[in-house]
Amino acid sequence: MTAPHGRRFDAIVVGGGLAGLAATHRLAAAGLHVALVEKRDRLGGSSAMSGGWFALSGTPVQRRAAVEDSDDVFLADMLETGGGFADPSLLRALVAHQAHAVAAIDRADAWTDELKVSAGMTIARAHLIRIRGLLASLEREAVAAGASIVLGRPAEALITEDRWVIGIRSGEEVLAADAGIVLTTGGFSRSRELLDLFVPDQAPAMPYGGVGSTGDGLRMAWMLGAGLADVGHVAGTYGQHAEATDAEHELLTANYLGAILVNALGARFTDESESYKVLGSAVLSQPGRMAFQIFDSRVRALSKPGVPLSDMERIEELGHLVGAPTLTQLGRRLGLPTGALEGTVDQYNETVAGRVADAFGRTGLVNGVGALLPVARAPFYAYPAVTAMTSTYGGLRVAPDASVARVDGSRIEGLYAAGEVVGGFHGASYMTGTALTKALVFGVVAADMIAGGTRA
Ligand SMILES: Cc1cc2nc3c(=O)[nH]c(=O)nc-3n(C[C@H](O)[C@H](O)[C@H](O)COP(=O)(O)OP(=O)(O)OC[C@H]3O[C@@H](n4cnc5c(N)ncnc54)[C@H](O)[C@@H]3O)c2cc1C
C-alpha cells in the first residue's frame, strides 16, 4: 500500500478534547509515533467547558459514601434512560472498560468526594472530577510519551486507498497514518445546518459547547459511507441563563434539589425530576422558550459553592438569581400574572403533603429518587433558564471496539471514533456523566485497537 506524500505517523488523532487526549496518550504510551491534530489554537473543546461529572460504578468514592452500586445497575439505568434506542453492546463495553477512566483519573489525582444522583440514575453515581486537571495531566503524559500536538490545524478530509483510511488532508498538507486514525472531533452543537437537518425542533436552543463542535468528523466519515446513530434524539439541556457566556459553565438544576419549574405564565408544565434533556424539549415549547426554577430557602441552603449544577452562590454573584421575601413579590418581580405563582405553589405543596396526586407524575427529586420538599420557607428564589445545546449525543455508528461502521454495518478499515462524535450510547435520553466517561474510555479503546492491530 502506498501512503500519500506528506508527514507520516503511525496514528493520527483528530480533535484535542478528552477523547482525543486519552487516545493520543495511550497510542504514544504504546510506543506509536502519533500526532494529535487540533483545529483551534488550544486543546480542550467542550470537555474543558464541562461540569466534570463522570458516571462510574463501584468506585472508592461510592464505597466511602456507603453507596452500593454495581455494573449491572449502571447498565440497567443506562438502558432504561435510553428508552430502548441505545445500543446495548456499546453500553456493555462502556461498563466493562470503566477501569480505563478510573486509571486516568487516578494518575491525574483528579477525584473529588462530590457524588450525587443525577439525571438517569437510580443511585448516586455522578462523580465530580477536576476536569481541567485531568485534561492537563493527559496532555503532559502524551507529550512526555513522545506525541506531537499540532494546533490550529483543521482536518478537512479523510484520505482512503483500497477502502482503508490512510491519512487526513488539512489545506494543502497531507498527514499519513500507517496504523489508523481516531476521530475525536466532538459534536455538532455549533452547526445550525446539522441541527436543522437532524432535529429542527431543537435548533432554536441556545448554541453552547466548544466552538469547534461543528460536526467536522461526522461529515468526514459520512463522506465515506459511515452510518449514523441516535441523531434524531439530540436534545438541548435545560438549566442555563440566557446570558451565560462561554467563559464559564453556568447550569443550575435546583429542580433536582426540590425546586419546581414554572413557565412565563406561572404554571408548572412537566415532571421536574426528568432528565434535563427531556426538560430541555419541554421548555422549548413553553412561552418565550424559558422556565423559572422556583425554590425556597431550604433548597437555597443546599447550594454547593464550586459544584457545577448546584452552585447558587456563583449564580447570585452573576446577578442571575432573583429573590423576594414572599411568593407574591417574587411573582411580581418575574412579571408573572397576578396570583399565578401562589396558586401553582399551593397546588404543588398539596401534592408534596400527599393530599393529591401530582398532575405531572412527579414522585421524587431526580429520576423518581429523593423525597419532595414543599416550596414554603421564605425567602423565595427564581432562576430564569433556557434550553442550551451543550452537546449532541448522536453521531457516527461505531462497534464496541470504536471502529466506525458504514451504513451497511461493514467496518471502515483504519478509522476509529470516540467521544461526542459517535452515537449509539444514549438513545432517547441521557444519564449525567456518561458523555465524559464514554469519551475517556473509548479514546483508550480506539488507541488499543490501533496499537494492537495489523494492516494488510
Ligand atoms: C457546558 C457543558 C457542560 C457539560 N457537562 C458535562 C458533564 O458534567 N458530564 C458529562 O459527561 N458531559 C458533559 N458535557 C458534555 C461533554 O463535555 C462532551 O460530550 C465531551 O467533553 C466531548 O468530549 P470530546 O473529546 O468528544 O469532544 P470535545 O471535548 O468537544 O473535543 C473535540 C475537539 O475536536 C476539535 N475539532 C473539531 N473539528 C476538528 C477538525 N476538523 N480538525 C481538528 N480538530 C477538530 C475541537 O476544536 C475540540 O477541541 C458538557 C458539555 C458542555 C458544553
Side-chain angles (χ1 to χ4, degrees), residues 14-20 37-40 44-47 49-53 153-155 184-186 208-209 212-213 216 220 249 251 390-391 393 418-421 430 433-437 439:
V14 186
L18 181 60
V37 176
E38 164 59 48
K39 77 172 170 186
R40 299 198 66 216
S46 290
S47 304
M49 293 171 71
S50 77
W53 293 103
R153 186 73 56 89
T184 49
T185 47
Y208 210 58
S213 300
D216 301 9
M220 285 188 274
H249 176 281
L251 279 169
T390 57
S391 340
Y393 298 130
E420 202 177 309
V421 68
Y430 166 68
T434 45
L436 288 173
T437 301

Side-chain angles (χ1 to χ4, degrees), residues 47-50 129-137 246-247:
S47 304
M49 293 171 71
S50 77
I129 301 303
R130 286 186 284 271
I131 182 69
R132 289 182 185 234
L134 175 60
L135 292 167
S137 158
D246 293 356

Side-chain angles (χ1 to χ4, degrees), residues 238-260:
Y238 168 72
Q240 176 159 296
H241 197 275
E243 285 159 22
T245 65
D246 293 356
E248 182 163 5
H249 176 281
E250 189 199 328
L251 279 169
L252 181 67
T253 52
N255 45 309
Y256 296 158
L257 299 172
I260 55 170

Side-chain angles (χ1 to χ4, degrees), residues 61 301 344:
V61 177
T344 298

Side-chain angles (χ1 to χ4, degrees), residues 354-374:
R355 285 191 277 272
V356 284
D358 186 53
F360 303 98
R362 186 177 194 182
T363 56
L365 294 180
V366 51
N367 204 34
V369 180
L372 298 178
L373 297 170

Side-chain angles (χ1 to χ4, degrees), residues 183-203:
L183 288 175
T184 49
T185 47
F188 54 91
S189 60
R190 296 283 181 170
S191 169
R192 180 73 196 226
E193 186 194 354
L194 291 178
L195 291 170
D196 276 340
L197 180 63
F198 297 139
V199 279
D201 58 327
Q202 298 286 324

